[in-house]
Amino acid sequence: MTKHLSEPERRAQILASAREEFIEQGYAATRVADVARRARLSKGAVYFYYPSKRDLFMALVLAEHDSTYAFLEEAERREAPALVRLLEVGRAYLGYFFSLDRPPRFFLMMTELGVRDEEIRAECEALHQRFVDAVARIFAQGIVEGAFRPMDPVAVAQMLKALIDGVGGQAAIGIAPPRDRLATEGFRTILRGILADPDDADAVLAAVEAVGALESPAPIE
């Protein structure tokens, strides 16, 4: 007999088990019976909350994306110079990759299935666009403030997203990102490309770190 749980708790239990099964077995090989066994529930109990294996996977995709949406919304509400906000976004993503106790392989599964599943692809594309829009607004703010050189904010935001996705892909296959080097020389290289005065990159990064704006940012959960 399983412990009585509220509906949100039961859904979380099932999704945690489904995530493990998908990562270990792959989408095609995973069966709802496997998810139920790992969750110590009957198949009927799983089907009560999620009518199909695809519904389970889609619920995990949406949960993954909801946490990122919440992070981006919080970043946009913060009143701070564009440079500080941009660095906090970068450090938060690094913090996310280093807070995981295992490689983020579900990230790769989403993109792989998105090639063939239009709904999953659309959801991944929406998340990509949400990030690009948020960071482009930060770049635009920095241009107005005079901290960033004139640029195409959307194109640069897309390039930054590609860099983050690359780090995520490496982490997913077990290539640990060199955190300290990315947070120093990597950030300096990016700053030199966008600052109105590229020679300020080292001084600006050091100053922001000194006041603690970049110390242990809350990771994306």
Side-chain angles (χ1 to χ4, degrees), residues 47-67:
Y47 280 125
F48 177 79
Y49 292 102
Y50 300 100
S52 69
K53 180 173 76 171
R54 187 182 178 284
D55 288 324
L56 275 169
F57 192 86
M58 197 63 196
L60 286 169
V61 171
L62 294 174
E64 190 91 4
H65 289 182
D66 283 347
S67 64

Side-chain angles (χ1 to χ4, degrees), residues 7 17 19 21-22 24 33 64 78 83 85-86 137 140 166 172 176 211 220:
E7 180 175 339
S17 297
R19 178 188 290 271
E21 286 295 327
F22 285 134
E24 291 179 10
E64 190 91 4
R78 174 167 164 71
L83 179 59
R85 294 173 65 202
L86 180 65
R137 284 191 283 269
V211 298
I220 307 167

Side-chain angles (χ1 to χ4, degrees), residues 20-217:
E20 295 300 315
E21 286 295 327
F22 285 134
I23 289 174
E24 291 179 10
Q25 307 297 333
Y27 181 82
T30 294
R31 303 174 304 166
V32 173
D34 300 325
V35 175
R37 186 178 306 109
R38 184 182 287 264
R40 298 184 179 181
L41 297 170
S42 68
K43 280 200 304 182
V46 174
Y47 280 125
F48 177 79
Y49 292 102
Y50 300 100
S52 69
K53 180 173 76 171
R54 187 182 178 284
D55 288 324
L56 275 169
F57 192 86
M58 197 63 196
L60 286 169
V61 171
L62 294 174
E64 190 91 4
H65 289 182
D66 283 347
S67 64
T68 303
Y69 285 134
F71 161 73
L72 290 172
E73 289 169 3
E74 178 64 27
E76 290 202 282
R77 283 196 296 267
R78 174 167 164 71
E79 294 185 5
L83 179 59
V84 172
R85 294 173 65 202
L86 180 65
L87 289 172
E88 286 182 337
V89 168
R91 288 296 287 269
Y93 272 91
L94 281 185
Y96 165 72
F97 292 126
F98 280 90
S99 70
L100 300 174
D101 58 4
R102 66 184 65 189
R105 296 197 173 105
F106 194 76
F107 166 81
L108 289 186
M109 293 192 68
M110 288 190 301
T111 55
E112 178 188 358
L113 288 179
V115 173
R116 296 179 294 275
D117 189 303
E118 183 175 347
E119 186 179 5
I120 293 174
R121 183 197 60 77
E123 183 60 33
C124 290
E125 184 177 350
L127 179 68
H128 169 86
Q129 193 60 50
R130 179 69 180 83
F131 176 94
V132 169
D133 289 345
V135 174
R137 284 191 283 269
I138 293 176
F139 284 137
Q141 174 192 345
I143 294 170
V144 171
E145 292 172 347
F148 299 159
R149 64 172 178 80
M151 68 176 90
D152 179 341
V154 173
V156 179
Q158 289 175 331
M159 181 60 71
L160 184 59
K161 181 61 164 59
L163 290 173
I164 291 172
D165 287 347
V167 172
Q170 290 177 346
I173 60 173
I175 301 175
R179 180 176 187 175
D180 292 340
R181 294 167 71 183
L182 288 177
T184 53
E185 190 58 34
F187 280 11
R188 287 191 183 97
T189 299
I190 293 172
L191 289 177
R192 289 189 184 108
I194 65 175
L195 287 174
D197 182 357
D199 292 335
D200 283 347
D202 289 343
V204 167
L205 186 56
V208 175
E209 288 177 330
V211 298
L214 300 182
E215 290 299 321
S216 302

